Amino acid sequence: VQLQASGGGWVQAGGSLRLSCAASGGTFGRLHMGWFRQAPGKEREFVVISDRSGQSAYYGDSVKGRFTISRDNGENTVNLQMNSLKPEDTAVYYCAARERYSSDWKAYNYWGQGTLVTVSS
């Protein structure tokens, strides 16, 4: 499975960004899709995971109520809508895929290349 993330950039605090992740080379509908992030000098952090159907999502506490994950199994894409962004959201964001449901980044098999999100105060 190959994952290609896009949509990062620079935004002022309070603004919004939308990240996208396109998957190829596998059966997308069999994969749970997650977003993780890593800020400089910090460990990779769980952001959100969507189950295979897109009907259920689990969010990390730091983004709950501000970020929304969605997926399109027909288009093999998963998106992350990020609203009310804060400077502490600044990080490289990665999409990841796994056949089994997990919020532990170490358990993921497939990773996108990462896209940088910078939120200025």
Side-chain angles (χ1 to χ4, degrees):
V1 176
Q2 292 79 47
L3 303 175
Q4 181 74 35
S6 61
W10 178 91
V11 65
Q12 287 190 320
S16 298
L17 280 175
R18 184 177 177 87
L19 306 183
S20 294
C21 179
S24 61
T27 304
F28 187 71
R30 296 182 62 180
L31 299 171
H32 301 291
M33 298 298 299
W35 286 94
F36 298 83
R37 66 186 183 186
Q38 189 164 17
K42 295 189 176 181
E43 187 168 311
R44 195 162 295 192
E45 176 189 15
F46 167 73
V47 176
V48 61
I49 180 174
S50 168
D51 73 346
R52 296 186 180 102
S53 70
Q55 297 298 309
S56 176
Y58 172 61
Y59 292 87
D61 289 341
S62 60
V63 306
K64 203 172 295 183
R66 300 187 297 122
F67 291 12
T68 303
I69 191 170
S70 60
R71 65 187 289 166
D72 185 334
N73 285 355
E75 296 292 328
N76 291 0
T77 57
V78 61
N79 300 308
L80 182 64
Q81 179 66 41
M82 305 185 295
N83 298 329
S84 302
L85 283 161
K86 305 175 182 180
E88 51 264 44
D89 294 318
T90 294
V92 176
Y93 284 71
Y94 299 89
C95 61
R98 189 172 188 258
E99 288 85 356
R100 297 182 70 179
Y101 197 85
S102 176
S103 62
D104 181 358
W105 67 267
K106 299 182 184 71
Y108 277 72
N109 310 94
Y110 309 108
W111 289 89
Q113 83 285 9
T115 184
L116 177 62
V117 171
T118 303
V119 184
S120 67
S121 57

